[in-house]
Amino acid sequence: MFSTIKRLQDSFSAASTFALVLCCLIFTSSYVQLLHDRCFDLPSTISDISLDTSLKFSRIHGSLNKKPKENARLTSFSLQTDLSPLFNLNTKQVFVYLTAEYHSVNRKDNSISNKLIFWDKIIISKDDATLNLTNLKSKYSVYDIEKSFNHKNATVRLEWNIQPWVGPLIYGSTTGLETITFI
Amino acid sequence: MLSVNRQQISQLLQFALIVSSAFMIWKTLSVITNSESPIVVVLSGSMEPAFQRGDILFLNNRQTFVDAGDIVVYQIKHREIPIVHRVMNQHSNLQKLKQFLLTKGDNNPVNDLSLYNRNQLYLNREKDILGVVKGYLPKVGYLTIFITENAYFKYTLLGLMAISSILQRDE
């Protein structure tokens, strides 16, 4: 009635059930803690943004067949925020990123919603989660799907993504807003 | 003699039941998530330290648009291996419900343009994206990597399973 294989099977299934319950408990408690610390509207300040655009001709800058493509980069900006509440027992890393969001209309009169990432940073420990950075430059040279940005206005925001040790990925954004114009 | 046959048939049926129910669970998940492979195993280190080799990712493909910052699994036309990378830029046509995406691996210095096909500047949300990463389970998928990369291990494991399912008796 009790063979070795049966015993192995039973202990394996008990262990996996236990592990699953433990994972659910870890996720729920860490999520409750995020809500309790009001992590979904953490304050941030984005300031001193200066932007520069230039024409690029290589594929890595979004140009095809050497046609000119307008690229934008931030030549300087400052960032103040405290992301340490995002670190709890289920946080493996926090990915923070600076986005620019804008709307446009294409040739066929369809409205297009766009979002680009200028800068990002991977934070692994709570000690590095207080950001007080000045005179930063954008990491990426960004470009529109059309050949130029056409002097549009964009909203700049600092957003984050928690990579957990186990469970669902969590996304949110800080409250600081800033407007830029692609000159 | 007859009773032995009966037992072997019942064991065979039990084995078939396990295989078919696993297949059905997989296909049901596929229908729910609208993705042809709702669970994937990470094969490369291009998203480290978020994802390591052998981690398991749960995907969903129901949403119309993907956001910048989301991590997606995509497969370029005529390429075999799907890639897990983060969306950097997104452009969504709100009338036609079409979207174009540019991706990058967190651990890579530059964007994925060199991985796309020649003359391709963007991924197509509808055609190229297999799903958006929603959940994460560490390390558990390492077994499948071990099995696919070690032919001997694979056949030994299959052989052992077959022998044990034939020899095992229900008392």
Side-chain angles (χ1 to χ4, degrees), chain B residues 75-93:
Chain B
Q75 189 166 23
I76 306 278
K77 238 187 200 171
H78 314 304
R79 305 271 177 92
E80 263 180 49
I81 298 171
I83 299 172
V84 189
H85 278 177
R86 196 183 293 272
V87 173
M88 300 305 278
N89 300 345
Q90 65 92 358
H91 306 275
S92 333
N93 188 321

Side-chain angles (χ1 to χ4, degrees), chain A residues 23 49-50 55 57 66 77 79 86 100 174 177:
Chain A
C23 288
I49 301 184
S50 56
L55 292 179
F57 298 88
K66 302 264 189 278
F77 66 100
L79 206 61
L86 301 182
T174 58
L177 281 185

